[in-house]
Amino acid sequence: MTAKHKWIQLAVLAAIVLILPIFFPSGYYYRVGALIFINALSVVGLVILIGYAGQISLGHAGFAGIGAYSCALAPVHLGLPPALSILLGAGISAGLAVLIGRPILRLKGYYLGVATLGFGILVSMVLANERGLTGGPDGISVQSLGLRKALREMGLRLSGGEFWYIFNAIVLLIGIWIALNLYQSATGRAMRALHGSETAAQTVGIDVARYKLQAFVISAVYASVGGSLLALQNGFITPDVAGFMHSVEMVTMAVLGGVGSVLGATFGAAILTLLPQVLTVFHDYEHLVLGLVMILVMIFLPLGLLPSLAARIRWRGV
Amino acid sequence: MDALMQFVYSGLTVGAVYALVALGFTIIYNASDVVNFAQGEFVMLGGMITVFAFDAGLPLPLAALMAIVATAAIGVALNKFAIEPARGAPVVSLIIITIGASILIRGTAQVIFDKQLHRLPAFSGDDPIHLLGATILPQSLWVIGGAFAIFIGLWLFFTRTLLGKAVLATANNRLAAQLVGINTGFVMTLSFALSAAIGALAGVLVTPVTLVSYDVGVGLALKGFAAAMLGGMGNPKGALVGGLLLGLFEALTAGYISSQYKEAVAFVVILAVLFVMPQGLFGQKTTERV
């Protein structure tokens, strides 16, 4: 991937973001779009962890939960403005990721998967059990970001859907820009080297533990910001945001689109976010289809949808 | 003292179920190096199918047998259609495949059966038995006894039968097993059938105590995994001891610390075990040579 590629990818995404609304028949589609961008942001974080550094996490929703509840709680209890609460959540997530990352990342494969899974479930359990603080399983309301109001005072009137569509798209594009830069940087190269072979990476002098931890912390911050945006957009949050199913969805989105590619992961996030919207008609079949998609993609398109399609097109010489 | 015994009984009962789930993990892990996250779904299927067959008028033993056979068939199908085609895939892919399978089975069960909680009648009445100053339900004895019976049965199978030894040989070294003429593909199929059947049996035994619904599998799979890791992944004896210990930890936490956080015990145990002794209680220390 060259520097030119980076700008092409960003331009393609920005173009899609700008052009799509032409086809939106109603305001509801802005909401779905905004949700896709939030999920894509978390998934881009996972691409750094899984795709670059080759480490799995089945507990990333835990960080999303921390980000979400920071936005719900910090304005009330600490008097922080919601925008700063996003940063606070990101800070707490990063700190926690450093703390648990050190011991956890020594583990490999299944053990790492289950340890991270345990972390995620502990977070969602605390959120569900500490009723006094978090409102328990019923959830808690979140103050508004206030930015839309400020814009209105400046004379720019946006509907809630439109505002979040634009705002989340900007955050996502920044996130993708950072991820693409990281990919090319020395740090990114070191991460990818340890993905290939930890032993080989070590022999050429790469501090394997340090780069694993960096990937874990960065991806935790992505998930945390994603959780914060979700909380602010919905104005309400429940412990489900930190739940096991949310973690699994994130990993599936990443793998579905193609965990080696930022663009692919965004694509995967779009598909899996749209699926339940389309499937509301067959609400009962939602899980059945999700499970089937996970299995079929892993067996038949192990690289993920986008890279597999790209490889096929290239192979045909188009 | 009475309270303690009461906690011990309830801990041993759920612990026996965790042990059976852990045993299922162990069998598949040994044969194929795959951790099957759908293991909890086998327990759910065992309970659900029995409930519905029983309600349809089948006698309980027949309903249970049907559930076990059907679940074993689903286990075999899982191996054939999801695990085998992905042979050689990275661990991340296998994790996603088995989690996908667990979601698929759960989603299907929700469509075919329903979302309600179901129970079975206890096998031998509901009159509590007084034992050492506390009471225990006869069904708990069924669960604990069942776990031990299965454990002994498996031990005999692995040590006394040629087929069992073939499974062990495959677990030890797939290529070497193939060289001496063991059909490793069949061993894999057998392992999935066996672990699904054990899971289903656990479901049948425990449904009168804890009830069953389409979504109990996730929790059971995670606790079974915690138990397997506590005992030492891949070790049947470890699975049994790990399961019982985990059940006891959980019951004692619920009794003396917080019933809200009893569910957290399994995960704290997972994390603690992984940090302190990743090889588990009975696991072997292996050094990887590179």
Side-chain angles (χ1 to χ4, degrees), chain A residues 278-313:
Chain A
V278 182
L279 283 176
T280 37
V281 197
F282 336 82
H283 183 70
D284 289 339
Y285 296 90
E286 194 185 318
H287 280 164
L288 199 155
V289 174
L290 177 64
L292 210 56
V293 167
M294 290 167 75
I295 299 175
L296 292 178
V297 168
M298 277 299 98
I299 294 174
F300 295 109
L301 304 167
L303 289 175
L305 274 178
L306 213 55
S308 296
L309 286 178
R312 204 155 290 183
I313 290 167

PDB file of all heavy atoms in Angstrom, chain A residues 278-313:
ATOM      1  N   VAL A 278     -32.698  -4.669   7.760  1.00  0.00           N
ATOM      2  CA  VAL A 278     -33.441  -5.349   6.702  1.00  0.00           C
ATOM      3  C   VAL A 278     -34.231  -6.503   7.283  1.00  0.00           C
ATOM      4  O   VAL A 278     -35.329  -6.816   6.855  1.00  0.00           O
ATOM      5  CB  VAL A 278     -32.462  -5.872   5.627  1.00  0.00           C
ATOM      6  CG1 VAL A 278     -33.212  -6.538   4.492  1.00  0.00           C
ATOM      7  CG2 VAL A 278     -31.611  -4.736   5.099  1.00  0.00           C
ATOM      8  N   LEU A 279     -33.625  -7.150   8.300  1.00  0.00           N
ATOM      9  CA  LEU A 279     -34.217  -8.366   8.825  1.00  0.00           C
ATOM     10  C   LEU A 279     -35.306  -8.113   9.861  1.00  0.00           C
ATOM     11  O   LEU A 279     -35.872  -9.060  10.384  1.00  0.00           O
ATOM     12  CB  LEU A 279     -33.141  -9.245   9.462  1.00  0.00           C
ATOM     13  CG  LEU A 279     -32.260 -10.035   8.488  1.00  0.00           C
ATOM     14  CD1 LEU A 279     -31.196 -10.781   9.255  1.00  0.00           C
ATOM     15  CD2 LEU A 279     -33.085 -11.005   7.661  1.00  0.00           C
ATOM     16  N   THR A 280     -35.567  -6.858  10.202  1.00  0.00           N
ATOM     17  CA  THR A 280     -36.593  -6.622  11.223  1.00  0.00           C
ATOM     18  C   THR A 280     -37.880  -7.332  10.841  1.00  0.00           C
ATOM     19  O   THR A 280     -38.644  -7.746  11.698  1.00  0.00           O
ATOM     20  CB  THR A 280     -36.892  -5.113  11.409  1.00  0.00           C
ATOM     21  OG1 THR A 280     -36.832  -4.502  10.134  1.00  0.00           O
ATOM     22  CG2 THR A 280     -35.926  -4.480  12.372  1.00  0.00           C
ATOM     23  N   VAL A 281     -38.086  -7.468   9.520  1.00  0.00           N
ATOM     24  CA  VAL A 281     -39.275  -8.176   9.053  1.00  0.00           C
ATOM     25  C   VAL A 281     -39.277  -9.604   9.596  1.00  0.00           C
ATOM     26  O   VAL A 281     -40.276 -10.109  10.093  1.00  0.00           O
ATOM     27  CB  VAL A 281     -39.299  -8.235   7.503  1.00  0.00           C
ATOM     28  CG1 VAL A 281     -40.698  -8.573   7.015  1.00  0.00           C
ATOM     29  CG2 VAL A 281     -38.791  -6.936   6.914  1.00  0.00           C
ATOM     30  N   PHE A 282     -38.102 -10.240   9.527  1.00  0.00           N
ATOM     31  CA  PHE A 282     -37.995 -11.585  10.097  1.00  0.00           C
ATOM     32  C   PHE A 282     -37.176 -11.509  11.379  1.00  0.00           C
ATOM     33  O   PHE A 282     -36.145 -12.137  11.488  1.00  0.00           O
ATOM     34  CB  PHE A 282     -37.297 -12.560   9.168  1.00  0.00           C
ATOM     35  CG  PHE A 282     -37.324 -12.226   7.730  1.00  0.00           C
ATOM     36  CD1 PHE A 282     -36.417 -11.331   7.188  1.00  0.00           C
ATOM     37  CD2 PHE A 282     -38.250 -12.832   6.884  1.00  0.00           C
ATOM     38  CE1 PHE A 282     -36.437 -11.037   5.845  1.00  0.00           C
ATOM     39  CE2 PHE A 282     -38.263 -12.531   5.539  1.00  0.00           C
ATOM     40  CZ  PHE A 282     -37.354 -11.634   5.022  1.00  0.00           C
ATOM     41  N   HIS A 283     -37.633 -10.724  12.309  1.00  0.00           N
ATOM     42  CA  HIS A 283     -36.865 -10.467  13.513  1.00  0.00           C
ATOM     43  C   HIS A 283     -36.356 -11.756  14.165  1.00  0.00           C
ATOM     44  O   HIS A 283     -35.237 -11.825  14.642  1.00  0.00           O
ATOM     45  CB  HIS A 283     -37.717  -9.693  14.512  1.00  0.00           C
ATOM     46  CG  HIS A 283     -36.963  -9.332  15.742  1.00  0.00           C
ATOM     47  ND1 HIS A 283     -35.962  -8.388  15.739  1.00  0.00           N
ATOM     48  CD2 HIS A 283     -37.030  -9.823  17.004  1.00  0.00           C
ATOM     49  CE1 HIS A 283     -35.465  -8.293  16.957  1.00  0.00           C
ATOM     50  NE2 HIS A 283     -36.079  -9.145  17.741  1.00  0.00           N
ATOM     51  N   ASP A 284     -37.201 -12.790  14.144  1.00  0.00           N
ATOM     52  CA  ASP A 284     -36.849 -14.042  14.819  1.00  0.00           C
ATOM     53  C   ASP A 284     -35.657 -14.733  14.172  1.00  0.00           C
ATOM     54  O   ASP A 284     -34.996 -15.544  14.793  1.00  0.00           O
ATOM     55  CB  ASP A 284     -38.040 -15.004  14.806  1.00  0.00           C
ATOM     56  CG  ASP A 284     -39.131 -14.519  15.732  1.00  0.00           C
ATOM     57  OD1 ASP A 284     -38.808 -13.724  16.628  1.00  0.00           O
ATOM     58  OD2 ASP A 284     -40.285 -14.932  15.548  1.00  0.00           O
ATOM     59  N   TYR A 285     -35.406 -14.414  12.906  1.00  0.00           N
ATOM     60  CA  TYR A 285     -34.351 -15.120  12.184  1.00  0.00           C
ATOM     61  C   TYR A 285     -33.010 -14.398  12.245  1.00  0.00           C
ATOM     62  O   TYR A 285     -32.040 -14.842  11.655  1.00  0.00           O
ATOM     63  CB  TYR A 285     -34.759 -15.330  10.724  1.00  0.00           C
ATOM     64  CG  TYR A 285     -35.960 -16.213  10.575  1.00  0.00           C
ATOM     65  CD1 TYR A 285     -37.246 -15.678  10.572  1.00  0.00           C
ATOM     66  CD2 TYR A 285     -35.823 -17.596  10.469  1.00  0.00           C
ATOM     67  CE1 TYR A 285     -38.357 -16.488  10.461  1.00  0.00           C
ATOM     68  CE2 TYR A 285     -36.931 -18.406  10.355  1.00  0.00           C
ATOM     69  CZ  TYR A 285     -38.195 -17.850  10.354  1.00  0.00           C
ATOM     70  OH  TYR A 285     -39.279 -18.661  10.251  1.00  0.00           O
ATOM     71  N   GLU A 286     -32.976 -13.276  12.982  1.00  0.00           N
ATOM     72  CA  GLU A 286     -31.794 -12.447  12.980  1.00  0.00           C
ATOM     73  C   GLU A 286     -30.543 -13.224  13.400  1.00  0.00           C
ATOM     74  O   GLU A 286     -29.515 -13.206  12.721  1.00  0.00           O
ATOM     75  CB  GLU A 286     -32.018 -11.256  13.912  1.00  0.00           C
ATOM     76  CG  GLU A 286     -31.010 -10.166  13.730  1.00  0.00           C
ATOM     77  CD  GLU A 286     -31.206  -9.060  14.756  1.00  0.00           C
ATOM     78  OE1 GLU A 286     -32.364  -8.686  15.019  1.00  0.00           O
ATOM     79  OE2 GLU A 286     -30.195  -8.597  15.286  1.00  0.00           O
ATOM     80  N   HIS A 287     -30.628 -13.921  14.538  1.00  0.00           N
ATOM     81  CA  HIS A 287     -29.469 -14.653  15.041  1.00  0.00           C
ATOM     82  C   HIS A 287     -29.077 -15.792  14.121  1.00  0.00           C
ATOM     83  O   HIS A 287     -27.910 -16.048  13.877  1.00  0.00           O
ATOM     84  CB  HIS A 287     -29.749 -15.189  16.445  1.00  0.00           C
ATOM     85  CG  HIS A 287     -29.566 -14.138  17.486  1.00  0.00           C
ATOM     86  ND1 HIS A 287     -30.046 -14.252  18.754  1.00  0.00           N
ATOM     87  CD2 HIS A 287     -28.953 -12.938  17.425  1.00  0.00           C
ATOM     88  CE1 HIS A 287     -29.726 -13.170  19.439  1.00  0.00           C
ATOM     89  NE2 HIS A 287     -29.070 -12.364  18.641  1.00  0.00           N
ATOM     90  N   LEU A 288     -30.100 -16.476  13.633  1.00  0.00           N
ATOM     91  CA  LEU A 288     -29.850 -17.589  12.722  1.00  0.00           C
ATOM     92  C   LEU A 288     -29.011 -17.124  11.531  1.00  0.00           C
ATOM     93  O   LEU A 288     -28.001 -17.741  11.183  1.00  0.00           O
ATOM     94  CB  LEU A 288     -31.220 -18.099  12.257  1.00  0.00           C
ATOM     95  CG  LEU A 288     -31.362 -19.487  11.666  1.00  0.00           C
ATOM     96  CD1 LEU A 288     -32.793 -19.959  11.862  1.00  0.00           C
ATOM     97  CD2 LEU A 288     -31.019 -19.468  10.200  1.00  0.00           C
ATOM     98  N   VAL A 289     -29.420 -15.995  10.956  1.00  0.00           N
ATOM     99  CA  VAL A 289     -28.715 -15.491   9.777  1.00  0.00           C
ATOM    100  C   VAL A 289     -27.313 -15.016  10.143  1.00  0.00           C
ATOM    101  O   VAL A 289     -26.337 -15.314   9.449  1.00  0.00           O
ATOM    102  CB  VAL A 289     -29.516 -14.345   9.112  1.00  0.00           C
ATOM    103  CG1 VAL A 289     -28.720 -13.721   7.983  1.00  0.00           C
ATOM    104  CG2 VAL A 289     -30.843 -14.870   8.596  1.00  0.00           C
ATOM    105  N   LEU A 290     -27.194 -14.315  11.286  1.00  0.00           N
ATOM    106  CA  LEU A 290     -25.888 -13.822  11.725  1.00  0.00           C
ATOM    107  C   LEU A 290     -24.904 -14.982  11.875  1.00  0.00           C
ATOM    108  O   LEU A 290     -23.771 -14.934  11.383  1.00  0.00           O
ATOM    109  CB  LEU A 290     -26.027 -13.067  13.048  1.00  0.00           C
ATOM    110  CG  LEU A 290     -24.741 -12.550  13.678  1.00  0.00           C
ATOM    111  CD1 LEU A 290     -24.075 -11.506  12.808  1.00  0.00           C
ATOM    112  CD2 LEU A 290     -24.997 -11.968  15.070  1.00  0.00           C
ATOM    113  N   GLY A 291     -25.353 -16.050  12.540  1.00  0.00           N
ATOM    114  CA  GLY A 291     -24.492 -17.221  12.739  1.00  0.00           C
ATOM    115  C   GLY A 291     -24.067 -17.831  11.420  1.00  0.00           C
ATOM    116  O   GLY A 291     -22.900 -18.172  11.206  1.00  0.00           O
ATOM    117  N   LEU A 292     -25.043 -17.951  10.518  1.00  0.00           N
ATOM    118  CA  LEU A 292     -24.772 -18.552   9.217  1.00  0.00           C
ATOM    119  C   LEU A 292     -23.761 -17.713   8.432  1.00  0.00           C
ATOM    120  O   LEU A 292     -22.821 -18.245   7.827  1.00  0.00           O
ATOM    121  CB  LEU A 292     -26.096 -18.650   8.441  1.00  0.00           C
ATOM    122  CG  LEU A 292     -26.229 -19.795   7.443  1.00  0.00           C
ATOM    123  CD1 LEU A 292     -25.979 -21.129   8.143  1.00  0.00           C
ATOM    124  CD2 LEU A 292     -27.610 -19.787   6.820  1.00  0.00           C
ATOM    125  N   VAL A 293     -23.940 -16.394   8.469  1.00  0.00           N
ATOM    126  CA  VAL A 293     -23.008 -15.500   7.767  1.00  0.00           C
ATOM    127  C   VAL A 293     -21.595 -15.694   8.297  1.00  0.00           C
ATOM    128  O   VAL A 293     -20.632 -15.816   7.535  1.00  0.00           O
ATOM    129  CB  VAL A 293     -23.445 -14.020   7.937  1.00  0.00           C
ATOM    130  CG1 VAL A 293     -22.332 -13.077   7.506  1.00  0.00           C
ATOM    131  CG2 VAL A 293     -24.709 -13.747   7.139  1.00  0.00           C
ATOM    132  N   MET A 294     -21.473 -15.741   9.648  1.00  0.00           N
ATOM    133  CA  MET A 294     -20.151 -15.900  10.252  1.00  0.00           C
ATOM    134  C   MET A 294     -19.464 -17.158   9.745  1.00  0.00           C
ATOM    135  O   MET A 294     -18.295 -17.150   9.357  1.00  0.00           O
ATOM    136  CB  MET A 294     -20.268 -15.953  11.779  1.00  0.00           C
ATOM    137  CG  MET A 294     -20.664 -14.627  12.397  1.00  0.00           C
ATOM    138  SD  MET A 294     -21.167 -14.785  14.121  1.00  0.00           S
ATOM    139  CE  MET A 294     -19.581 -15.000  14.901  1.00  0.00           C
ATOM    140  N   ILE A 295     -20.202 -18.274   9.751  1.00  0.00           N
ATOM    141  CA  ILE A 295     -19.597 -19.550   9.352  1.00  0.00           C
ATOM    142  C   ILE A 295     -19.232 -19.537   7.866  1.00  0.00           C
ATOM    143  O   ILE A 295     -18.119 -19.875   7.474  1.00  0.00           O
ATOM    144  CB  ILE A 295     -20.561 -20.724   9.637  1.00  0.00           C
ATOM    145  CG1 ILE A 295     -20.863 -20.811  11.135  1.00  0.00           C
ATOM    146  CG2 ILE A 295     -19.977 -22.040   9.146  1.00  0.00           C
ATOM    147  CD1 ILE A 295     -21.888 -21.851  11.483  1.00  0.00           C
ATOM    148  N   LEU A 296     -20.189 -19.114   7.033  1.00  0.00           N
ATOM    149  CA  LEU A 296     -19.971 -19.194   5.591  1.00  0.00           C
ATOM    150  C   LEU A 296     -18.819 -18.302   5.145  1.00  0.00           C
ATOM    151  O   LEU A 296     -17.991 -18.704   4.328  1.00  0.00           O
ATOM    152  CB  LEU A 296     -21.264 -18.812   4.846  1.00  0.00           C
ATOM    153  CG  LEU A 296     -22.403 -19.816   5.019  1.00  0.00           C
ATOM    154  CD1 LEU A 296     -23.652 -19.346   4.284  1.00  0.00           C
ATOM    155  CD2 LEU A 296     -21.985 -21.195   4.513  1.00  0.00           C
ATOM    156  N   VAL A 297     -18.759 -17.091   5.700  1.00  0.00           N
ATOM    157  CA  VAL A 297     -17.672 -16.190   5.312  1.00  0.00           C
ATOM    158  C   VAL A 297     -16.322 -16.780   5.686  1.00  0.00           C
ATOM    159  O   VAL A 297     -15.377 -16.773   4.896  1.00  0.00           O
ATOM    160  CB  VAL A 297     -17.855 -14.795   5.952  1.00  0.00           C
ATOM    161  CG1 VAL A 297     -16.598 -13.971   5.802  1.00  0.00           C
ATOM    162  CG2 VAL A 297     -19.028 -14.077   5.315  1.00  0.00           C
ATOM    163  N   MET A 298     -16.245 -17.331   6.912  1.00  0.00           N
ATOM    164  CA  MET A 298     -14.972 -17.889   7.371  1.00  0.00           C
ATOM    165  C   MET A 298     -14.516 -19.058   6.500  1.00  0.00           C
ATOM    166  O   MET A 298     -13.333 -19.261   6.259  1.00  0.00           O
ATOM    167  CB  MET A 298     -15.103 -18.370   8.815  1.00  0.00           C
ATOM    168  CG  MET A 298     -14.941 -17.301   9.836  1.00  0.00           C
ATOM    169  SD  MET A 298     -13.330 -16.536   9.754  1.00  0.00           S
ATOM    170  CE  MET A 298     -13.658 -15.109   8.823  1.00  0.00           C
ATOM    171  N   ILE A 299     -15.480 -19.851   6.037  1.00  0.00           N
ATOM    172  CA  ILE A 299     -15.108 -21.026   5.239  1.00  0.00           C
ATOM    173  C   ILE A 299     -14.810 -20.642   3.795  1.00  0.00           C
ATOM    174  O   ILE A 299     -13.802 -21.053   3.224  1.00  0.00           O
ATOM    175  CB  ILE A 299     -16.221 -22.091   5.294  1.00  0.00           C
ATOM    176  CG1 ILE A 299     -16.349 -22.632   6.726  1.00  0.00           C
ATOM    177  CG2 ILE A 299     -15.925 -23.241   4.335  1.00  0.00           C
ATOM    178  CD1 ILE A 299     -17.495 -23.570   6.923  1.00  0.00           C
ATOM    179  N   PHE A 300     -15.685 -19.835   3.214  1.00  0.00           N
ATOM    180  CA  PHE A 300     -15.564 -19.609   1.768  1.00  0.00           C
ATOM    181  C   PHE A 300     -14.813 -18.328   1.399  1.00  0.00           C
ATOM    182  O   PHE A 300     -14.263 -18.225   0.323  1.00  0.00           O
ATOM    183  CB  PHE A 300     -16.951 -19.615   1.117  1.00  0.00           C
ATOM    184  CG  PHE A 300     -17.619 -20.945   1.220  1.00  0.00           C
ATOM    185  CD1 PHE A 300     -18.714 -21.134   2.054  1.00  0.00           C
ATOM    186  CD2 PHE A 300     -17.137 -22.047   0.512  1.00  0.00           C
ATOM    187  CE1 PHE A 300     -19.323 -22.375   2.160  1.00  0.00           C
ATOM    188  CE2 PHE A 300     -17.728 -23.285   0.614  1.00  0.00           C
ATOM    189  CZ  PHE A 300     -18.824 -23.453   1.444  1.00  0.00           C
ATOM    190  N   LEU A 301     -14.827 -17.346   2.286  1.00  0.00           N
ATOM    191  CA  LEU A 301     -14.114 -16.095   1.999  1.00  0.00           C
ATOM    192  C   LEU A 301     -13.221 -15.736   3.179  1.00  0.00           C
ATOM    193  O   LEU A 301     -13.421 -14.711   3.827  1.00  0.00           O
ATOM    194  CB  LEU A 301     -15.107 -14.948   1.756  1.00  0.00           C
ATOM    195  CG  LEU A 301     -16.151 -15.113   0.666  1.00  0.00           C
ATOM    196  CD1 LEU A 301     -17.219 -14.049   0.791  1.00  0.00           C
ATOM    197  CD2 LEU A 301     -15.499 -15.044  -0.700  1.00  0.00           C
ATOM    198  N   PRO A 302     -12.235 -16.584   3.474  1.00  0.00           N
ATOM    199  CA  PRO A 302     -11.448 -16.373   4.694  1.00  0.00           C
ATOM    200  C   PRO A 302     -10.753 -15.013   4.742  1.00  0.00           C
ATOM    201  O   PRO A 302     -10.417 -14.533   5.812  1.00  0.00           O
ATOM    202  CB  PRO A 302     -10.440 -17.518   4.690  1.00  0.00           C
ATOM    203  CG  PRO A 302     -10.479 -18.087   3.329  1.00  0.00           C
ATOM    204  CD  PRO A 302     -11.796 -17.756   2.737  1.00  0.00           C
ATOM    205  N   LEU A 303     -10.538 -14.394   3.604  1.00  0.00           N
ATOM    206  CA  LEU A 303      -9.903 -13.073   3.613  1.00  0.00           C
ATOM    207  C   LEU A 303     -10.896 -11.971   3.939  1.00  0.00           C
ATOM    208  O   LEU A 303     -10.519 -10.841   4.198  1.00  0.00           O
ATOM    209  CB  LEU A 303      -9.288 -12.768   2.243  1.00  0.00           C
ATOM    210  CG  LEU A 303      -8.052 -13.559   1.849  1.00  0.00           C
ATOM    211  CD1 LEU A 303      -7.660 -13.219   0.425  1.00  0.00           C
ATOM    212  CD2 LEU A 303      -6.917 -13.248   2.795  1.00  0.00           C
ATOM    213  N   GLY A 304     -12.190 -12.323   3.889  1.00  0.00           N
ATOM    214  CA  GLY A 304     -13.222 -11.306   4.055  1.00  0.00           C
ATOM    215  C   GLY A 304     -13.814 -10.942   2.705  1.00  0.00           C
ATOM    216  O   GLY A 304     -13.233 -11.225   1.659  1.00  0.00           O
ATOM    217  N   LEU A 305     -14.987 -10.309   2.747  1.00  0.00           N
ATOM    218  CA  LEU A 305     -15.723 -10.028   1.509  1.00  0.00           C
ATOM    219  C   LEU A 305     -14.931  -9.198   0.511  1.00  0.00           C
ATOM    220  O   LEU A 305     -14.686  -9.606  -0.611  1.00  0.00           O
ATOM    221  CB  LEU A 305     -17.017  -9.285   1.847  1.00  0.00           C
ATOM    222  CG  LEU A 305     -18.223 -10.137   2.203  1.00  0.00           C
ATOM    223  CD1 LEU A 305     -19.397  -9.235   2.545  1.00  0.00           C
ATOM    224  CD2 LEU A 305     -18.581 -11.035   1.034  1.00  0.00           C
ATOM    225  N   LEU A 306     -14.509  -8.013   0.960  1.00  0.00           N
ATOM    226  CA  LEU A 306     -13.915  -7.077   0.018  1.00  0.00           C
ATOM    227  C   LEU A 306     -12.603  -7.589  -0.588  1.00  0.00           C
ATOM    228  O   LEU A 306     -12.476  -7.643  -1.816  1.00  0.00           O
ATOM    229  CB  LEU A 306     -13.722  -5.710   0.698  1.00  0.00           C
ATOM    230  CG  LEU A 306     -13.863  -4.491  -0.217  1.00  0.00           C
ATOM    231  CD1 LEU A 306     -15.187  -4.490  -0.935  1.00  0.00           C
ATOM    232  CD2 LEU A 306     -13.684  -3.216   0.585  1.00  0.00           C
ATOM    233  N   PRO A 307     -11.640  -8.014   0.255  1.00  0.00           N
ATOM    234  CA  PRO A 307     -10.388  -8.526  -0.328  1.00  0.00           C
ATOM    235  C   PRO A 307     -10.614  -9.754  -1.205  1.00  0.00           C
ATOM    236  O   PRO A 307      -9.948  -9.906  -2.234  1.00  0.00           O
ATOM    237  CB  PRO A 307      -9.541  -8.880   0.903  1.00  0.00           C
ATOM    238  CG  PRO A 307     -10.086  -8.023   1.988  1.00  0.00           C
ATOM    239  CD  PRO A 307     -11.550  -7.911   1.715  1.00  0.00           C
ATOM    240  N   SER A 308     -11.566 -10.631  -0.822  1.00  0.00           N
ATOM    241  CA  SER A 308     -11.823 -11.812  -1.648  1.00  0.00           C
ATOM    242  C   SER A 308     -12.377 -11.411  -2.996  1.00  0.00           C
ATOM    243  O   SER A 308     -11.977 -11.933  -4.037  1.00  0.00           O
ATOM    244  CB  SER A 308     -12.811 -12.752  -0.955  1.00  0.00           C
ATOM    245  OG  SER A 308     -12.259 -13.238   0.226  1.00  0.00           O
ATOM    246  N   LEU A 309     -13.317 -10.462  -2.984  1.00  0.00           N
ATOM    247  CA  LEU A 309     -13.882  -9.985  -4.245  1.00  0.00           C
ATOM    248  C   LEU A 309     -12.805  -9.333  -5.096  1.00  0.00           C
ATOM    249  O   LEU A 309     -12.693  -9.585  -6.287  1.00  0.00           O
ATOM    250  CB  LEU A 309     -15.010  -8.991  -3.971  1.00  0.00           C
ATOM    251  CG  LEU A 309     -16.320  -9.590  -3.463  1.00  0.00           C
ATOM    252  CD1 LEU A 309     -17.329  -8.486  -3.190  1.00  0.00           C
ATOM    253  CD2 LEU A 309     -16.882 -10.575  -4.478  1.00  0.00           C
ATOM    254  N   ALA A 310     -11.978  -8.520  -4.432  1.00  0.00           N
ATOM    255  CA  ALA A 310     -10.912  -7.827  -5.162  1.00  0.00           C
ATOM    256  C   ALA A 310      -9.966  -8.839  -5.796  1.00  0.00           C
ATOM    257  O   ALA A 310      -9.589  -8.704  -6.968  1.00  0.00           O
ATOM    258  CB  ALA A 310     -10.152  -6.900  -4.211  1.00  0.00           C
ATOM    259  N   ALA A 311      -9.616  -9.881  -5.021  1.00  0.00           N
ATOM    260  CA  ALA A 311      -8.711 -10.903  -5.538  1.00  0.00           C
ATOM    261  C   ALA A 311      -9.340 -11.598  -6.740  1.00  0.00           C
ATOM    262  O   ALA A 311      -8.675 -11.890  -7.731  1.00  0.00           O
ATOM    263  CB  ALA A 311      -8.387 -11.910  -4.443  1.00  0.00           C
ATOM    264  N   ARG A 312     -10.643 -11.854  -6.656  1.00  0.00           N
ATOM    265  CA  ARG A 312     -11.318 -12.554  -7.744  1.00  0.00           C
ATOM    266  C   ARG A 312     -11.327 -11.706  -9.009  1.00  0.00           C
ATOM    267  O   ARG A 312     -11.098 -12.186 -10.103  1.00  0.00           O
ATOM    268  CB  ARG A 312     -12.743 -12.893  -7.312  1.00  0.00           C
ATOM    269  CG  ARG A 312     -13.316 -14.053  -8.066  1.00  0.00           C
ATOM    270  CD  ARG A 312     -14.389 -14.747  -7.282  1.00  0.00           C
ATOM    271  NE  ARG A 312     -13.860 -15.464  -6.129  1.00  0.00           N
ATOM    272  CZ  ARG A 312     -14.609 -16.187  -5.324  1.00  0.00           C
ATOM    273  NH1 ARG A 312     -15.914 -16.258  -5.504  1.00  0.00           N
ATOM    274  NH2 ARG A 312     -14.083 -16.830  -4.320  1.00  0.00           N
ATOM    275  N   ILE A 313     -11.588 -10.418  -8.807  1.00  0.00           N
ATOM    276  CA  ILE A 313     -11.633  -9.537  -9.976  1.00  0.00           C
ATOM    277  C   ILE A 313     -10.252  -9.456 -10.618  1.00  0.00           C
ATOM    278  O   ILE A 313     -10.099  -9.554 -11.828  1.00  0.00           O
ATOM    279  CB  ILE A 313     -12.125  -8.130  -9.566  1.00  0.00           C
ATOM    280  CG1 ILE A 313     -13.607  -8.212  -9.197  1.00  0.00           C
ATOM    281  CG2 ILE A 313     -11.930  -7.145 -10.697  1.00  0.00           C
ATOM    282  CD1 ILE A 313     -14.127  -6.992  -8.485  1.00  0.00           C
TER     283      ILE A 313
END
